[in-house]
Amino acid sequence: MKNRSSFFWIIGALILMMLIFQGGKEPTPDANAVQPQVVSFEEVKKSMSESSDSISKVVLIKDKFGSVQEVQVLYKDETKPALKAQVPGEAGNERLLALSEQKHISVDSLIQEEKKPTAGEQIFGAILSIVPFILIFFVIMWLMGRFAQSRMGGMGQIGQSGAKKFEPSADKKSFADIAGAEEAKREMRDVVRYLRNPGSLAYLGGKPPKGVLLIGDPGNGKTLLAKAVAGEADAAFFSISASQFVEMFVGVGAARVRDLFNTARANKPAIIFIDEIDAVGRQRGAGIGGGHDEREQTLNQLLVEMDGFVTNDALVLMAATNRPDVLDPALTRPGRFDMQVLVDAPDKHGREEILKIHTRKKRLADDVDLSVIAINTPGFSGAQLEGVTDQAALVANRRIEDQVAELRNQNVPEDEINRRVVRAITMADLDEGIDRVQMGPAKEGAASRMSEEDMKNTAYHELGHAWVSQKLYELNQGGDPVTKITIVPRARALGYTQALPAGDRFNYTDKNLRARIMMAMGGRAAQEHFLKVIDTGASNDFKQAKAMAYRMVTEFGMSDLGPISVGEGGPNPFLGRSMAVHQEAGPALADKIDAAWMKIVQECYDETLKILQEDEDCFHSICAVLMEKETILGPEFQELRNKSKCAVDQGKA
């Protein structure tokens, strides 16, 4: 904004200068004076012949060489406009002289002198000649300033951090706004106590925490937890992304780090929060530049500032990352980031509490049971749970408007409409919200537009997933019970199967992982065995199966290769994970790894085919129901299996 204002001031000054110098020009003719009328040479001769008595005189205007260029006829009546015409050469001049002598008209001659510019005009002309260059210069400078402002916060703010300051009184957060992270909140209360009373630790002889590193997957509430600490401690909160430190100019990152810490010290008690710190905190010496690139210089300055903390300074650095494995050891050692707090995905109880927070201001129907929603969302982060409630509100709003419009078209009274329409978020709306977060919105009417062949392939594919998972669950072989089967397309999927564990699972056994691989392969196996069809619908299933088998071999030691682990903590944190695995393993071991995970996938596929072959008659009958109803929930699926006598008695399994 400042650059734009300066630009307009400059343009205004230049225009004012032009107007001032225009004042040095000779005055313009009087607008009230009678101006000559420009006519043809023949009309001048005609007037001299027919109106000679009314003509005062004829003026011949010559150039500096004596050649007649123009003629003016002046009348005795001064209110009558004079006539002016161009004289066609010397012959025209002679005809005028002859006619004037014949009609006894007085003739005068006037030599037209070359007009010399005034001093004001000369100065104005000189200024005018350089004005375009001045304008171009200032326009270029203005554009450069705007570019610099977009890249670095302005030409005069290169070394400023650009951190956002959140005042405690504005949008204040507290621990009451956080659920599902009780262990993390317990650790952060120590930080709050220190910020409220910096001298309390000094009395005990202890040192305050300089830095707190929040570790967790995206969406688990790391930033919210940092804001809550600031709110509980009534401290100023400065938030910045680590990527904002690094720019194209050398030394900018280090300057911004210094400015950030100086600003925070001036507003004590304060919290500095750096999000995604792995952008500047990666291990030094691993990148291009031999350890002298801008990122490493920024990291060095950050380390210096953390070492410069004064005891009882009432200043705490907090940072968040989901890649703690790539951080430089100098950053994570005690004395810098003294505390490392895990902000993990919430358990069932935590998910229910999070849902309560996000539904406090939402209107819920009487049938809503948040505990059931918590059970049906294992592994969901806090951000995903918030997305579930927001999507459910959108679905409910659409449902209400459609129902009201339909009833009004039927001329139903308003009282009856209010009785019939549930103007609140229902359990069905929340279930749809879960599906939208996981798979995207449903393509309404898409299932009816599918060909009979595509619908049949999709039904057998999805039922194959469900059948294998449910059967392995009943046999106590690591599978999960099925909660939903649908062939209603969502996003890029023609259908999907949902199988959830009976409770929160924190560790996975060999049976659990093999069961997940078999479930992923169940769709392809069902199509191949029952329909003799192989299509492209199983590509994503293969990716999931390979990823799980690969980790079983390279991370978990669940293969014939034995207890090995490769690919973690490699020498170059900038390499992709698969590249790091092969770099650490070497060619010979890499070949064995590939053979091992391929063996696991093939064994799981063979076992999947055996399971499907055992219940062929039941499979066909339930598949017909799925094609008719398009969606089957878990209890109904189990009931159908019981009626078909395909279910396994878990007491005998």
Side-chain angles (χ1 to χ4, degrees):
M1 184 63 68
K2 184 177 180 181
N3 288 335
R4 180 181 297 180
S5 177
S6 301
F7 174 75
F8 287 123
W9 275 109
I10 292 170
I11 296 298
L14 292 173
I15 294 174
L16 181 62
M17 291 173 60
M18 294 171 62
L19 294 175
I20 291 173
F21 284 113
Q22 280 185 332
K25 297 175 67 177
E26 291 184 349
T28 58
D30 187 2
N32 296 323
V34 181
Q35 301 296 320
Q37 181 181 357
V38 180
V39 296
S40 66
F41 183 72
E42 296 299 325
E43 291 182 8
V44 168
K45 291 196 308 179
K46 182 179 178 181
S47 178
M48 291 173 64
S49 301
E50 298 177 354
S51 307
S52 59
D53 295 338
S54 62
I55 295 176
S56 172
K57 62 179 177 179
V58 172
V59 180
L60 300 178
I61 300 175
K62 303 178 181 180
D63 59 16
K64 61 182 181 179
F65 301 104
S67 300
V68 179
Q69 302 292 322
E70 187 178 285
V71 60
Q72 290 188 7
V73 179
L74 306 180
Y75 292 94
K76 296 177 181 177
D77 185 3
E78 296 181 354
T79 60
K80 187 176 181 180
L83 300 181
K84 181 171 110 175
Q86 297 292 323
V87 179
E90 187 64 29
N93 182 32
E94 293 178 356
R95 288 197 296 272
L96 282 175
L97 294 175
L99 185 59
S100 300
E101 185 177 356
Q102 180 183 351
K103 297 294 183 179
H104 305 286
I105 301 173
S106 175
V107 178
D108 288 345
S109 298
L110 177 65
I111 298 177
Q112 188 177 21
E113 297 180 356
E114 185 178 357
K115 184 180 178 181
K116 295 182 179 180
T118 63
E121 289 178 330
Q122 292 178 353
I123 297 174
F124 174 74
I127 295 295
L128 193 62
S129 63
I130 64 172
V131 163
F133 301 98
I134 297 175
L135 290 176
I136 292 173
F137 172 77
F138 281 107
V139 167
I140 293 174
M141 293 299 296
W142 180 72
L143 293 175
M144 290 178 62
R146 290 297 301 270
F147 175 76
Q149 184 178 14
S150 63
R151 289 281 298 167
M152 301 173 294
M155 291 294 291
Q157 302 176 351
I158 296 178
Q160 297 184 11
S161 64
K164 296 181 180 179
K165 181 181 179 183
F166 297 89
E167 298 292 343
S169 58
D171 192 25
K172 185 176 181 178
K173 301 295 182 181
S174 66
F175 288 147
D177 299 311
I178 301 175
E182 298 303 322
E183 293 81 4
K185 287 195 295 183
R186 189 180 303 112
E187 294 295 326
M188 300 311 297
R189 285 191 175 93
D190 294 333
V191 180
V192 173
R193 294 187 187 97
Y194 162 67
L195 290 173
R196 285 180 174 177
N197 187 9
S200 60
L201 271 177
Y203 176 78
L204 298 174
K207 293 183 178 180
K210 292 184 178 181
V212 180
L213 183 63
L214 303 178
I215 302 170
D217 293 333
N220 284 344
K222 299 185 294 292
T223 303
L224 180 61
L225 183 60
K227 288 184 179 181
V229 172
E232 292 283 345
D234 287 331
F237 184 78
F238 296 88
S239 176
I240 190 173
S241 174
S243 60
Q244 294 178 248
F245 288 120
V246 182
E247 295 287 355
M248 62 184 293
F249 297 105
V250 177
V252 172
R256 291 184 175 180
V257 170
R258 289 190 297 269
D259 178 76
L260 174 61
F261 278 82
N262 291 334
T263 304
R265 290 189 180 99
N267 292 271
K268 297 185 296 184
I271 293 175
I272 299 173
F273 179 70
I274 303 177
D275 200 10
E276 305 296 343
I277 195 172
D278 49 277
V280 296
R282 290 177 178 260
Q283 296 182 24
R284 290 169 291 180
I288 301 174
H292 297 286
D293 62 356
E294 178 64 10
R295 182 191 60 80
E296 293 197 5
Q297 299 302 321
T298 304
L299 175 58
N300 291 336
Q301 185 63 41
L302 180 61
L303 297 176
V304 171
E305 292 292 339
M306 296 184 70
D307 287 338
F309 276 11
V310 180
T311 305
N312 305 326
D313 206 16
L315 180 65
V316 174
L317 173 65
M318 301 181 68
T321 182
N322 56 1
R323 292 295 310 277
D325 54 307
V326 302
L327 295 180
D328 194 283
L331 192 64
T332 57
R333 71 164 176 81
R336 287 184 175 137
F337 279 112
D338 304 279
M339 300 173 58
Q340 297 189 19
V341 179
L342 177 63
V343 187
D344 208 353
D347 56 10
K348 174 185 171 299
H349 176 72
R351 293 194 297 272
E352 185 176 352
E353 294 301 317
I354 292 173
L355 288 169
K356 289 180 180 179
I357 291 176
H358 291 308
T359 56
R360 285 186 302 197
K361 298 181 180 180
K362 291 181 173 64
R363 190 181 299 274
L364 301 180
D366 295 336
D367 68 334
V368 172
D369 189 349
L370 295 180
S371 63
V372 176
I373 302 298
I375 294 173
N376 294 334
T377 52
F380 274 44
S381 66
Q384 288 176 309
L385 293 172
E386 183 181 9
V388 168
T389 61
D390 291 337
Q391 290 295 323
L394 291 174
V395 172
N397 186 59
R398 181 194 301 175
R399 169 182 57 78
I400 293 170
E401 289 187 354
D402 291 345
Q403 291 177 352
V404 170
E406 183 179 357
L407 292 174
R408 285 175 177 172
N409 290 334
Q410 299 174 6
N411 296 321
V412 177
E414 289 294 326
D415 293 342
E416 182 67 15
I417 292 176
N418 295 331
R419 190 183 64 83
R420 292 187 187 182
V421 178
V422 181
R423 299 179 182 271
I425 300 173
T426 64
M427 197 69 177
D429 298 330
L430 287 168
D431 288 335
E432 176 64 20
I434 295 174
D435 293 340
R436 290 168 76 93
V437 170
Q438 285 186 314
M439 301 295 297
K443 299 179 180 178
E444 298 182 2
S448 61
R449 296 192 297 270
M450 294 172 60
S451 65
E452 184 176 353
E453 182 181 1
D454 287 339
M455 182 177 290
K456 188 175 183 179
N457 287 336
T458 303
Y460 273 82
H461 183 100
E462 297 303 330
L463 188 59
H465 291 311
W467 202 274
V468 173
S469 183
Q470 186 70 30
K471 188 68 172 288
L472 291 175
Y473 169 71
E474 295 171 353
L475 293 172
N476 197 24
Q477 294 296 316
D480 296 322
V482 174
T483 57
K484 179 184 288 187
I485 315 167
T486 181
I487 58 174
V488 177
R490 289 182 179 272
R492 292 177 293 180
L494 296 178
Y496 79 98
T497 300
Q498 186 181 62
L500 302 176
D504 289 322
R505 182 176 290 157
F506 301 99
N507 283 310
Y508 292 86
T509 64
D510 181 26
K511 290 195 301 184
N512 296 137
L513 297 180
R514 285 181 173 268
R516 296 184 70 175
I517 295 174
M518 292 171 66
M519 178 186 176
M521 306 297 290
R524 168 66 175 269
Q527 287 183 263
E528 182 180 352
H529 177 68
F530 296 121
L531 303 178
K532 311 300 180 186
V533 171
I534 297 176
D535 58 20
T536 60
S539 61
N540 190 54
D541 299 330
F542 293 158
K543 292 179 181 179
Q544 294 181 19
K546 178 204 171 180
M548 283 184 282
Y550 199 81
R551 296 190 67 184
M552 290 176 65
V553 176
T554 60
E555 295 184 37
F556 308 138
M558 298 179 178
S559 70
D560 296 338
L561 297 181
I564 65 170
S565 179
V566 295
E568 294 294 326
N572 195 336
F574 291 91
L575 289 177
R577 297 191 178 188
S578 60
M579 295 177 62
V581 170
H582 285 79
Q583 185 189 49
E584 183 176 347
L589 182 57
D591 291 340
K592 292 181 180 180
I593 290 173
D594 290 338
W597 73 258
M598 292 174 67
K599 179 183 178 183
I600 292 175
V601 172
Q602 188 61 49
E603 290 175 351
C604 290
Y605 189 74
D606 295 339
E607 290 293 326
T608 301
L609 284 173
K610 291 180 181 179
I611 291 175
L612 295 173
Q613 291 169 0
E614 295 173 355
D615 304 319
E616 185 166 347
D617 294 338
C618 300
F619 194 97
H620 288 299
S621 63
I622 296 178
C623 194
V625 177
L626 177 60
M627 291 178 64
E628 179 183 356
K629 303 184 70 172
E630 296 184 355
T631 299
I632 298 177
L633 299 181
E636 185 180 2
F637 178 57
Q638 184 60 40
E639 184 180 353
L640 292 171
R641 283 175 53 84
N642 290 331
K643 289 182 179 179
S644 303
K645 298 181 180 180
C646 295
V648 177
D649 188 350
Q650 297 185 50
K652 298 179 181 180

